[in-house]
Amino acid sequence: MAEASRISKFLYTFIVLFIIWLFLTASVDPQELTIGLVFSFIVALLTHDIFTTRGLANLHPRRVAYFIAYIPYFLWAMLMANLDVAYRVLHPKRPINPGIVECKTELKNEVGKLALANSITLTPGTITLDVDGDRYFIHWIDVKDASVEGASENITRPFEKFLKVIFE
Amino acid sequence: MSALAGIGEFLVLFGTVFYFLSTLGLIRMPDVYNRMQTATKSATLGSLGVIIGTGIWAIGEGLSIAWLTKTLIIAVFLLLTNPISAHALIRGAYKSGIPLWEGSVVDKYKEHLEKKSQEGGEE
């Protein structure tokens, strides 16, 4: 995807910074809002070029809707991951079967790849070791399928359907 | 004690249980890679529970809403940065030559690195 214009990038950075400011102060006093606007403006002016490559296109309603749907899905996967880890830690025989497998992803966008890597790290039994182009090297605590396709099916597929819409 | 304070207390308890499991995992797992698994996951979810639980608990005790919004921001930052640090640590461990556990089944990354160095040598 082509890079967005400077204005769009600047506006996007400004909006994100201002939302963070709103959460941090938790106040709608006009004085707080004014100083927040001023500081968001200054910081956005300095950093908008490295903060985002797509600018306001990130706020497309479809992306936002998928993102909101992704949050409970992700939290649920994370909870399952922790129960899984708890089971492995507490079980007297320590049922682990670890190994490093390779996955392929369909995502092209760099931020999307980062989000996928983070999601993999926090969900059942997997942790991202390295990313090289569209190949992920993942340490899997319980290897069920060592082939590339099988591992992708088990690890990356469930997230890709969300992340593809959010980031592509 | 209001219902919100009750939810907050439950979340803090839930988080500390996972903190405990995370520490136990550090002792029980055989090598650095499996330890990273338990440490990252349980510590992240445990922190989320404790941090957001504190925010909700404070609201239930009649403190200002600012508690909850600040804890939410902290939780989001933690959720975004923790997996990256885990990734950096585990990659650093692999690059510095720490071997996998003897029970490991496959090591695709080693094959990949060997292939890459061969291609580099031929050029």
Side-chain angles (χ1 to χ4, degrees), chain A residues 3-159:
Chain A
E3 208 159 289
S5 71
R6 289 186 84 82
I7 306 243
S8 154
K9 278 199 222 174
F10 171 75
L11 280 175
Y12 176 68
T13 316
F14 179 69
I15 290 169
V16 171
L17 286 170
F18 190 60
I19 290 173
I20 294 175
W21 172 272
L22 284 180
F23 268 88
L24 279 175
T25 56
S27 144
V28 285
D29 186 334
Q31 289 181 355
E32 298 254 23
L33 290 187
T34 315
I35 206 75
L37 284 171
V38 170
F39 278 116
S40 309
F41 187 85
I42 295 170
V43 177
L45 210 59
L46 293 173
T47 60
H48 67 93
D49 212 26
I50 51 170
F51 183 68
T52 171
T53 55
R54 277 194 324 214
L56 284 175
N58 280 324
L59 296 176
H60 190 282
R62 203 159 82 100
R63 284 197 180 122
V64 175
Y66 264 77
F67 181 68
I68 291 168
Y70 182 63
I71 292 171
Y73 180 80
F74 174 71
L75 287 178
W76 179 249
M78 210 173 136
L79 186 65
M80 286 293 118
N82 281 279
L83 294 177
D84 181 64
V85 166
Y87 166 73
R88 284 179 210 288
V89 169
L90 294 175
H91 195 285
K93 278 198 198 124
R94 215 170 50 186
I96 53 173
N97 179 28
I100 296 176
V101 295
E102 183 186 341
C103 284
K104 278 214 184 303
T105 177
E106 295 160 10
L107 296 172
K108 303 278 185 295
N109 183 288
E110 293 294 328
V111 187
K113 282 183 192 164
L114 172 69
L116 181 59
N118 272 2
S119 305
I120 289 170
T121 301
L122 287 175
T123 49
T126 49
I127 189 163
T128 315
L129 201 109
D130 202 358
V131 182
D132 187 1
D134 64 343
R135 304 163 76 181
Y136 280 70
F137 295 93
I138 293 166
H139 185 268
W140 197 358
I141 202 168
D142 178 25
V143 177
K144 295 191 195 81
D145 192 342
S147 73
V148 176
E149 292 77 23
S152 312
E153 203 62 48
N154 268 306
I155 297 172
T156 60
R157 264 319 154 266
F159 298 108

